[in-house]
Amino acid sequence: MQVKVLAFAQMHDQLGFREHLIDCSPDETPRAILSRIAPGFAPGSVRVALDLAYAEWDSPIGTATELALIPPVSGG
Amino acid sequence: MQVKVLAFAQMHDQLGFREHLIDCSPDETPRAILSRIAPGFAPGSVRVALDLAYAEWDSPIGTATELALIPPVSGG
Amino acid sequence: MQTHISFTPDFINPPPLQLPSREIGASVEFLGIVRELERGQPLAGLDYEAYIPMARQELARLFTALQALHPCAEVVFIHRLGWVPVGEASLFIRVLAAHRGEALRFLEAAIDRMKADVPIWKRSASAIYQRK
Amino acid sequence: MQTHISFTPDFINPPPLQLPSREIGASVEFLGIVRELERGQPLAGLDYEAYIPMARQELARLFTALQALHPCAEVVFIHRLGWVPVGEASLFIRVLAAHRGEALRFLEAAIDRMKADVPIWKRSASAIYQRK
C-alpha cells in the first residue's frame, strides 16, 4: 500500500516537499514512516493527522491513505 | 426657582406627564418635590437624575434645572 | 479612543468599516435584534424611548471607564428609538481594538452596563396598550 | 445549527445578514485584521495557508461541540488564504443566536479552539524569506 504524506508550513520548508507518495504497510506507525523519509526527524511540537483527523505518532496507520504533518497552527 | 421634572416610560404612565415645571427651592430634595406633585409616590426601583446624572432622592437639588424620573432601564 | 454615539428612528445601517490605524487587529460587531418571543408572549415589535442627553452622557462615561479596563481604539454605538419590528435591530455596537480579547471584553461589558444604567426603555405593544 | 465554512483567496466581503428565524436576538461578527506590528516587527502583510479538507472537518467538529455548550442558530466562517496585506481581514466569523451571551461565548471559544487545533498557518513575509 501507499500513503500520501503532506507537509505544511514549516514542515514543507524542512522536508522540501508538499506531497510525497510513500510505500508502507498498515502496521507501520507515522513515526516509523517519517524516520524512513526524513532520517533524524523528531516530531517535537508537530502533530500528525491520518485521513483528516489528528492521530498518534506511535499507532499503526491502518488503512489511512493520507498522512499530514501539522506544525503548530496559527490561523486567525 | 423652577425645576423641570421629566417622566419616562412607566413614570410617564403613572404621573400622566412627560415634562412639568415645578416651583421649588435649592434645599428641597427630589423626594420632597415628588411628594408635592404626586402625593403618596414612593420611589421603589425608580432612580432620580439631576442635570443628566444619577442623584440621591434625599439630597438637596441645589442649582439643578432638570429632574428626571428613571424607572428601571431596559435598552438593548 | 474615538467614540460615536447616536440614536435614530430609522432602520440601522451599520456604517462602513474604516480603520483608524494600522494597529487594529480586531473588529467586533454586535446587533441586538427584536425577537418574536419575549417571556413566552409573541410580539410584533418593541417600542423604545430614551432620555437622549443623559443616555449620551452615561454612555460616554461608561466607555471611558471601560477603556481603562479594556483598551480599544474606537467604539460606534447606535440605538434605534420608536417602533422596531421583530427581525430588525434595535442596537448596533462596533468595537475596534488591537486584540480581540479587549474588543470582546469591552463589547460585553458595554452591553451589560448599558442595560443597567443607561436611560433607554423598551416596551412591548401589549404593555403600551395595557397602560391606556 | 446552520454552519457555513469557506476559504477564499480574495478580500473578505461579509455576506448580507439573513435571519434564519424570528427567534434571533443577537448577531455577533468578528473580523480578524492583519496588523502592521506583530511582535514588534513591522509587516506588509501575512501569508496564510491551510490544509483545507481537514480544516473544514475540524471546524465542523468544533462548531458541533460548541453548539452543545452555547446553543446558536447559525455560524458563518470565512478564512482568507494566501497574501493578506495589513489592514485587511484574514478571518470573518458571524454567530447568530437567540441571546447575546451564547453568541459571544460561542464566538470566543470558536476563535480560541481554531487557534489551537485547526490546520491553518500564517507566516510573515520576513519568515518566508528567511527560510530560503
Side-chain angles (χ1 to χ4, degrees):
Chain A
M1 67 176 272
Q2 288 192 310
V3 69
K4 182 162 63 175
V5 177
L6 303 178
F8 292 95
Q10 301 93 297
M11 286 309 296
H12 165 222
D13 303 342
Q14 190 178 330
L15 299 181
F17 64 80
R18 289 202 176 276
E19 294 192 15
H20 201 44
L21 268 179
I22 310 275
D23 290 309
C24 64
S25 67
D27 57 346
E28 275 191 290
T29 67
R31 189 187 300 275
I33 291 168
L34 259 288
S35 72
R36 281 200 281 121
I37 60 174
F41 169 80
S45 58
V46 176
R47 287 189 278 181
V48 66
L50 294 173
D51 288 353
L52 311 184
Y54 285 111
E56 302 294 328
W57 279 107
D58 294 314
S59 297
I61 66 163
T63 58
T65 59
E66 197 166 279
L67 185 164
L69 303 169
I70 314 277
V73 302
S74 53
Chain B
M1 68 176 271
Q2 288 191 311
V3 68
K4 182 161 66 175
V5 177
L6 303 178
F8 293 95
Q10 301 94 298
M11 285 309 296
H12 165 221
D13 303 342
Q14 190 177 330
L15 299 182
F17 63 82
R18 288 202 177 277
E19 294 191 16
H20 201 44
L21 268 179
I22 310 277
D23 290 309
C24 64
S25 66
D27 57 344
E28 276 191 290
T29 67
R31 190 187 300 274
I33 291 167
L34 259 289
S35 72
R36 280 200 280 122
I37 60 176
F41 169 79
S45 57
V46 176
R47 287 189 277 181
V48 66
L50 293 173
D51 288 352
L52 312 182
Y54 285 112
E56 301 294 327
W57 279 107
D58 293 315
S59 298
I61 66 163
T63 58
T65 59
E66 198 166 279
L67 186 165
L69 302 169
I70 316 277
V73 302
S74 53
Chain C
M1 182 178 58
Q2 298 177 39
T3 64
H4 308 271
I5 298 168
S6 60
F7 295 88
T8 175
D10 302 318
F11 187 90
I12 294 177
N13 280 306
L17 179 63
Q18 291 192 325
L19 302 181
S21 86
R22 289 166 69 82
E23 287 313 306
I24 302 301
S27 166
V28 180
E29 292 190 1
F30 173 78
L31 279 174
I33 298 159
V34 176
R35 291 187 299 135
E36 186 163 48
L37 285 173
E38 187 102 7
R39 298 191 204 120
Q41 290 278 43
L43 298 178
L46 289 169
D47 203 53
Y48 284 88
E49 67 174 291
Y51 181 18
I52 293 179
M54 180 171 167
R56 282 185 185 283
Q57 193 161 301
E58 282 291 313
L59 286 164
R61 189 197 332 246
L62 181 167
F63 293 156
T64 301
L66 289 178
Q67 164 72 355
L69 299 172
H70 315 293
C72 290
E74 185 172 330
V75 56
V76 178
F77 176 101
I78 305 172
H79 206 299
R80 188 164 167 188
L81 298 178
W83 177 252
V84 184
V86 166
E88 296 189 8
S90 52
L91 172 62
F92 169 80
I93 303 178
R94 174 189 290 149
V95 182
L96 303 181
H99 304 286
R100 74 182 185 289
E102 282 139 8
L104 285 164
R105 293 291 90 67
F106 188 108
L107 171 66
E108 185 151 33
I111 299 171
D112 288 345
R113 295 200 191 182
M114 176 203 68
K115 286 181 173 277
D117 288 328
V118 177
I120 303 170
W121 299 268
K122 68 158 75 70
R123 292 204 278 177
S124 65
S126 58
I128 292 164
Y129 182 77
Q130 282 161 4
R131 83 189 175 198
K132 293 182 178 161
Chain D
M1 182 178 57
Q2 298 177 40
T3 64
H4 308 272
I5 297 168
S6 61
F7 295 88
T8 175
D10 302 317
F11 187 91
I12 296 177
N13 280 307
L17 179 65
Q18 292 192 324
L19 301 182
S21 85
R22 288 166 69 80
E23 287 314 306
I24 303 301
S27 164
V28 179
E29 293 190 0
F30 173 77
L31 280 173
I33 298 159
V34 176
R35 290 187 301 137
E36 186 163 48
L37 285 172
E38 188 103 7
R39 297 191 205 120
Q41 289 279 43
L43 299 177
L46 290 170
D47 204 52
Y48 285 88
E49 67 175 289
Y51 181 18
I52 293 179
M54 179 171 168
R56 283 186 186 283
Q57 194 160 300
E58 282 291 312
L59 285 165
R61 188 197 331 245
L62 181 168
F63 293 156
T64 301
L66 289 178
Q67 164 72 355
L69 299 173
H70 316 292
C72 289
E74 184 173 331
V75 56
V76 179
F77 176 101
I78 305 173
H79 205 299
R80 189 164 166 186
L81 298 178
W83 177 251
V84 184
V86 165
E88 296 189 8
S90 52
L91 173 61
F92 170 80
I93 304 177
R94 174 188 289 149
V95 182
L96 304 182
H99 304 286
R100 75 183 185 289
E102 282 138 8
L104 285 164
R105 293 290 89 68
F106 187 109
L107 171 66
E108 186 152 31
I111 299 172
D112 288 345
R113 296 200 190 183
M114 175 202 70
K115 286 180 173 278
D117 288 327
V118 177
I120 305 170
W121 298 268
K122 66 158 75 72
R123 290 205 280 177
S124 65
S126 59
I128 293 164
Y129 182 77
Q130 282 160 5
R131 83 190 177 198
K132 290 182 180 163

